[in-house]
Amino acid sequence: MDIKIQPIKESKISQVDFNDLKFGSVFSDHMFVCDYVDGKWQNPSIVPYGPITLDPSAKIFHYGQSIFEGMKAYKDTEGNTLLFRPLDNCKRLNISAKRMVIPEIPEDLFMKGLKELLKVDNAWIPTNEGSSLYIRPFMFATGEGFHASPADEYKLIICTAPSGAYFSGKVTVLIEEKYARSANGGVGFAKAGGNYAAQFYPTQLAIDKGYNQVVWTDDNTHEYIEEAGAMNVFIRINDTLITSPTSDRILDGITRKSILQLAEDNKIPFEVRKITVKEVVEAAKSGELKEMFGAGTAAVISPIAGFGYKETDYDLPEIENSYASIFKQKLLNIQYNRGEDIHNWSVKV
């Protein structure tokens, strides 16, 4: 399927300070757009980044059929553009689509549109250390009507944003005792927009108490650690790395999967199992809790400096050669084409 390209008349790239990029707040010149109409995806095009027009009765506004992905593009020292495990993102987008009754996007169309967009906006990919081009594919219902049913028309858009670090400074978290991110049988495993909207209120309560983020616990008993904010969470007790198994409630993170593979490659002991809040608190009290960190595309790996639970704060030690620093460096080396990529995760555009 041919992609029509409508170039922007005048680029705004000269107005951007690439040495001072906030995450996800500056947008590149173009976006990829494709519509699902008459039972098929059609009219793929690359157009100038800008507002879109929707009818007030578009079902996205009423019934929340909206999903998204998060990806990044990198430049190596030779100027090559690289993607990290992009097919995994496409597969997960389609898993989310199926759960939300949105038509799946053909993999070849997704990859062709993404790569063409990156070629058109190649100059927007930062070369500064620690920066990258954040990529946001999203799909939503454009079909019209107030009837509570799936829409008959949808839109896929891929936007990009040159970005610096997601978090800066030390991150502290509050272990949630009341609210739940998702429930069994729900859509927690999908990257549905509503999942994140539901997080904002309890997260703001934690921020008001002086924390940066929430560590989510299970919806039934609040006894088990599940995720950290919008990221998967890893916990190191002594030398063993632990993370929760994926489920209806927990996103199958691509960074998470990569860390587990790197742990296996480097013979770092790890366990994928349920972990209780009680176990984490007791490990913190005994000094056996060495690290906690979040993992996701936006932040890559975000070390946690401390956590709060039942009105008590627990500080984590600062250690040399932390697992967080080891994994982050190994991931960045692959993403920027500086290290061996034995699993062929990096894809050249």
Side-chain angles (χ1 to χ4, degrees):
M1 194 180 298
D2 292 334
I3 297 175
K4 181 181 178 181
I5 299 176
Q6 179 188 341
I8 198 165
K9 293 180 180 179
E10 184 177 353
S11 175
K12 57 182 182 290
I13 195 169
S14 62
Q15 304 168 23
V16 177
D17 182 359
F18 278 79
N19 294 311
D20 183 25
L21 290 171
K22 293 182 175 63
F23 184 86
S25 59
V26 175
F27 304 100
S28 313
D29 283 331
H30 299 88
M31 59 186 185
F32 173 75
V33 179
C34 191
D35 292 306
Y36 183 87
V37 182
D38 297 330
K40 62 181 179 181
W41 288 102
Q42 54 186 292
N43 304 322
S45 58
I46 292 173
V47 300
Y49 177 90
I52 56 176
T53 300
L54 293 173
D55 192 276
S57 70
K59 292 197 175 185
I60 175 57
F61 300 131
H62 308 279
Y63 304 113
Q65 279 182 285
S66 174
I67 58 174
F68 70 95
E69 270 299 317
M71 311 169 66
K72 285 181 179 178
Y74 307 83
K75 279 273 183 76
D76 67 12
T77 55
E78 296 180 359
N80 296 307
T81 298
L82 305 164
L83 290 163
F84 183 72
R85 305 187 70 166
L87 293 180
D88 289 282
N89 286 101
C90 184
K91 289 174 183 175
R92 192 171 63 183
L93 184 68
N94 281 330
I95 288 171
S96 299
K98 185 175 182 179
R99 180 61 179 85
M100 301 300 289
V101 201
I102 296 173
E104 297 177 35
I105 186 76
E107 187 177 276
D108 57 344
L109 175 58
F110 177 87
M111 289 302 300
K112 185 177 181 180
L114 173 59
K115 288 184 176 182
E116 196 64 42
L117 177 63
L118 293 177
K119 290 175 183 176
V120 171
D121 276 348
N122 184 265
W124 284 87
I125 305 173
T127 56
N128 297 3
E129 179 69 23
S131 297
S132 58
L133 186 73
Y134 184 76
I135 303 167
R136 172 55 60 87
F138 58 107
M139 299 162 68
F140 58 95
T142 56
E144 301 166 5
F146 292 150
H147 188 272
S149 60
D152 57 357
E153 296 182 359
Y154 298 85
K155 188 181 289 288
L156 165 70
I157 297 178
I158 304 178
C159 299
T160 64
S163 297
Y166 190 81
F167 286 118
S168 59
K170 293 184 177 181
V171 175
T172 59
V173 297
L174 179 66
I175 296 179
E176 185 56 56
E177 300 176 53
K178 177 181 178 181
Y179 297 98
R181 176 186 174 274
S182 57
N184 286 330
V187 298
F189 68 91
K191 284 189 76 71
N195 289 346
Y196 297 80
Q199 291 184 27
F200 294 155
Y201 178 68
T203 300
Q204 187 58 52
L205 295 179
I207 291 170
D208 292 343
K209 292 180 179 179
Y211 302 93
N212 300 102
Q213 265 294 353
V214 167
V215 166
W216 301 105
T217 50
D218 68 288
D219 64 305
N220 187 27
T221 66
H222 295 288
E223 293 177 2
Y224 296 95
I225 298 287
E226 298 211 324
E227 290 196 352
M231 299 181 288
N232 296 116
V233 64
F234 285 83
I235 295 163
R236 176 183 173 183
I237 296 179
N238 291 322
D239 289 333
T240 301
L241 191 67
I242 308 167
T243 194
S244 301
T246 55
S247 67
D248 285 351
R249 302 183 307 277
I250 298 177
L251 188 71
D252 186 12
I254 293 163
T255 306
R256 173 188 178 277
K257 290 192 289 190
S258 303
I259 289 170
L260 293 175
Q261 184 62 62
L262 289 173
E264 183 177 322
D265 295 344
N266 291 275
K267 296 180 171 52
I268 291 174
F270 69 90
E271 298 174 357
V272 179
R273 64 168 174 84
K274 289 185 174 182
I275 181 167
T276 64
V277 177
K278 181 180 178 181
E279 183 180 358
V280 173
V281 171
E282 289 180 350
K285 290 178 178 178
S286 68
E288 295 179 314
L289 180 63
K290 305 302 182 184
E291 292 181 71
M292 292 175 65
F293 57 87
T297 297
V300 187
I301 290 176
S302 182
I304 294 170
F307 69 90
Y309 182 65
K310 290 191 180 298
E311 306 300 325
T312 302
D313 289 332
Y314 300 86
D315 293 325
L316 275 76
E318 292 187 16
I319 58 177
E320 293 184 4
N321 298 317
S322 67
Y323 286 172
S325 62
I326 291 170
F327 289 130
K328 184 170 185 177
Q329 195 57 57
K330 287 183 178 297
L331 283 171
L332 291 176
N333 284 345
I334 294 170
Q335 291 165 344
Y336 287 97
N337 198 23
R338 298 189 300 235
E340 189 177 13
D341 180 16
I342 63 173
H343 301 291
N344 298 315
W345 287 336
S346 192
V347 175
K348 188 181 293 186
V349 176

